[in-house]
Amino acid sequence: MQCVIVEETSSALFFSKPERAPLPTGLARLVVEQAVAVVFQVPLQELRARTRRKAHVAFARQVAMYLTHVVCGITLTEVGMLFGRDRTTVAYACRIVEDRRDDTLFDASLDHLETAIVRLTCAHSVLES
């Protein structure tokens, strides 16, 4: 993953990606899991469980897989390996989350989560250099 710099100029947002080393996939998973666990109020152990668990836990895990794929740019296969799932399960999770983005409140919450994850991973990159 690379840091994304956002510049606001005359009501338009411009995104640029500076040249940085990609974030290790394990660290990306950790950052995403921590953020999702806090927002969805789900213990990390439940989020990492190999079985489906309750619906709200399963949905939180789907969001974590979605964010790991979309925000961190990790392939579906790699995300599946990180979460102990098949790539088709990750693809299904991404479809579920994308469908829920039609809900404006959920979409705004996900936008905030995405921003937080980018900032946390950028902060880690700065601390590492």
Side-chain angles (χ1 to χ4, degrees):
M1 181 170 149
Q2 297 178 348
C3 292
V4 177
I5 297 174
V6 181
E7 299 174 18
E8 189 171 352
T9 309
S10 65
S11 75
L13 292 177
F14 297 95
F15 295 89
S16 62
K17 292 185 179 181
E19 293 300 319
R20 294 187 193 260
L23 193 68
T25 56
L27 182 60
R29 175 190 176 194
L30 182 64
V31 169
V32 171
E33 279 183 336
Q34 295 278 344
V36 170
V38 169
V39 170
F40 284 84
Q41 299 178 348
V42 174
L44 272 175
Q45 299 88 335
E46 291 288 308
L47 202 57
R48 292 177 177 164
R50 301 299 254 180
T51 58
R52 186 178 182 278
R53 304 290 185 194
K54 294 181 181 178
H56 74 281
V57 175
F59 183 66
R61 187 180 306 112
Q62 288 173 331
V63 170
M65 290 188 288
Y66 169 82
L67 291 170
T68 304
H69 173 63
V70 172
V71 177
C72 301
I74 298 173
T75 67
L76 295 176
T77 302
E78 290 174 314
V79 173
M81 287 189 287
L82 286 172
F83 285 87
R85 303 295 196 274
D86 186 78
R87 72 171 174 77
T88 58
T89 303
V90 179
Y92 175 75
C94 290
R95 282 194 305 274
I96 293 296
V97 174
E98 280 294 330
D99 288 346
R100 289 281 305 271
R101 289 198 86 151
D102 291 338
D103 175 0
T104 54
L105 183 60
F106 177 73
D107 187 51
S109 297
L110 214 52
D111 282 341
H112 289 299
L113 254 175
E114 289 173 358
T115 301
I117 290 166
V118 167
R119 288 182 179 169
L120 286 169
T121 54
C122 285
H124 180 270
S125 297
V126 168
L127 290 173
E128 287 292 309
S129 52

